[in-house]
Amino acid sequence: MPRPFSVLLILTLLASLASAAQRCDVKLIDQSWHDSVRNRDVPVRIYLPDRPDSAPLPVIVFSHGLGGTREGYAYLATWWASHGYVCVNPEHAGSNESIYMNGDEWNTTVKAIKDPANAINRPKDVSFVIDRLEAENRPGGKIAGKLDLSRLGVAGHSFGAYTALAIAGERFVGPRQHQISFLDKRVKAAIAISERPSVSPDPARDFAQIRIPILHMTGTEDYSPMGDVQPKERRQPFDLIPPLADQYLIIFDGAAHLTFSGQRSRPSDPKSVNYQPMIQSTTLGFWDAYLKNDPAALKEVREGSLKKLVRPTDQVESKLAPRQRIASPEPDY
């Protein structure tokens, strides 16, 4: 009799083959958009599904981690786009790869993390990108009519997870103890990978206003490259966000911080785990449930389908919001 883990691998393979049959080609569009209000350029890479039909598609904006670029995380953006999502990856000046270019990598990295301008500009970059997508989707725009911006998601890794949570409604305390919010109500769901815990005196208050579904993702070896965050601390946002909307947490056994940027845990070891297929399949299931508004996908995700897409040693938790029963119409006599 095959071992349970072998059966899981077989089921995952079959699911991947079925998914591959539904995939489409993806076009890449590189643009650089200028925000005149902040006098700031925001380069973007757009992953556009190449589909014969012209129906508008849901949109995902992905925020890279510290030191990243718009070209990063292609394994996720290409996967999502090949399944019918328009993916837009902005590049955040000040916390992109430029921090590594002056030969003093450690100090420039620390400076970029502590610079409040980066913490402010990142979520503003995302809202600016959404503004531009609305403009480009109008008649005469370069992707006119291709976007369904009523089905909009935001995702990010590490510093990008901070960005996604800020857009989702996490609040911050300013230097004069006033609350700062970057909430963008146009966003309907989010994925936050390798989140940093809040360090404010009242972190529960910071997360109390979040009202959209979020998939939180981390790993048991997800230590901060700066050494200031332990893996177990990364679950804090999931624990503190109230279940005003569905919240999910996946903790991959053995996954490290850079695992989620597309690296294998030990590239030289042929027996090392390739987490990419599991990250792809679980995130796609979440998007299908909350952006495509697929009732079957929503039912499956709420009933535990994410557990079937990972290994037995991986941890999956959920906090589900109460679902309102739809009243039957009164008979018309």
Side-chain angles (χ1 to χ4, degrees):
M1 175 178 290
R3 293 177 297 173
F5 186 64
S6 300
V7 172
L8 176 65
L9 289 177
I10 293 171
L11 291 175
T12 303
L13 177 60
L14 291 175
S16 299
L17 291 173
S19 181
Q22 302 171 6
R23 295 173 63 185
C24 64
D25 293 334
V26 176
K27 295 180 179 178
L28 297 184
I29 302 173
D30 286 342
Q31 300 274 315
S32 185
W33 294 336
H34 183 72
D35 183 353
S36 59
V37 174
R38 295 179 295 154
N39 191 27
R40 178 178 172 88
D41 291 328
V42 182
V44 298
R45 170 162 287 185
I46 302 172
Y47 295 76
L48 189 65
D50 187 6
R51 296 162 62 102
D53 60 87
S54 58
L57 299 172
V59 179
I60 301 166
V61 179
F62 188 94
S63 175
H64 64 73
L66 182 67
T69 69
R70 64 182 174 178
E71 289 86 9
Y73 305 90
Y75 82 99
L76 273 178
T78 302
W79 179 260
W80 295 337
S82 72
H83 287 85
Y85 294 88
V86 178
C87 297
V88 184
N89 289 22
E91 185 167 326
H92 304 288
S95 57
N96 59 354
E97 66 179 357
S98 64
I99 66 173
Y100 301 135
M101 293 181 177
N102 68 356
D104 189 10
E105 181 176 319
W106 177 262
N107 286 330
T108 54
T109 300
V110 172
K111 183 178 178 180
I113 291 175
K114 293 184 176 181
D115 186 351
N118 288 328
I120 293 170
N121 278 319
R122 277 178 154 265
K124 287 190 173 184
D125 284 347
V126 172
S127 288
F128 166 72
V129 165
I130 297 171
D131 291 342
R132 282 300 303 261
L133 290 172
E134 290 178 339
E136 297 293 342
N137 197 41
R138 297 185 190 115
K142 295 182 179 179
I143 46 178
K146 296 184 181 296
L147 312 179
D148 181 353
L149 289 164
S150 69
R151 297 184 290 167
L152 174 65
V154 168
H157 172 233
S158 195
F159 210 173
Y162 152 82
T163 309
L165 289 177
I167 287 291
E170 181 182 355
R171 294 189 176 186
F172 307 92
V173 179
R176 297 180 180 178
Q177 300 306 305
H178 63 288
Q179 285 198 336
I180 301 172
S181 174
F182 301 101
L183 171 67
D184 195 317
K185 293 183 179 180
R186 293 172 292 184
V187 174
K188 302 299 189 279
I191 294 177
I193 306 171
S194 297
E195 303 150 295
R196 295 179 65 88
S198 171
V199 294
S200 81
D202 189 358
R205 177 199 59 192
D206 300 340
F207 295 115
Q209 302 302 315
I210 293 179
R211 286 173 165 78
I212 62 172
I214 300 178
L215 171 59
H216 309 259
M217 191 172 285
T218 182
T220 59
E221 302 298 320
D222 194 356
Y223 293 93
S224 166
M226 308 304 298
D228 58 342
V229 178
Q230 298 295 308
K232 63 182 180 181
E233 295 178 296
R234 295 198 186 275
R235 63 172 294 138
Q236 186 214 58
F238 169 80
D239 288 334
L240 294 182
I241 293 173
L244 302 173
D246 296 344
Q247 304 293 314
Y248 301 90
L249 171 67
I250 299 177
I251 304 175
F252 287 105
D253 185 22
H257 194 68
L258 294 181
T259 296
F260 300 101
S261 62
Q263 294 186 11
R264 293 175 72 98
S265 54
R266 294 178 297 278
S268 61
D269 182 358
K271 295 182 180 180
S272 66
V273 177
N274 182 5
Y275 293 90
Q276 288 189 20
M278 292 184 288
I279 298 170
Q280 290 170 327
S281 60
T282 51
T283 54
L284 182 64
F286 176 82
W287 291 134
D288 286 350
Y290 295 98
L291 289 190
K292 286 190 176 177
N293 301 321
D294 182 335
L298 177 61
K299 183 175 185 294
E300 290 175 359
V301 169
R302 295 191 98 240
E303 292 180 355
S305 66
L306 297 180
K307 292 183 179 180
K308 301 176 184 178
L309 299 173
V310 299
R311 303 162 301 167
T313 55
D314 301 321
Q315 184 176 344
V316 179
E317 299 180 34
S318 63
K319 298 195 302 185
L320 303 180
R323 310 297 289 187
Q324 293 183 346
R325 184 185 299 273
I326 299 175
S328 301
E330 293 293 331
D332 185 10
Y333 293 109

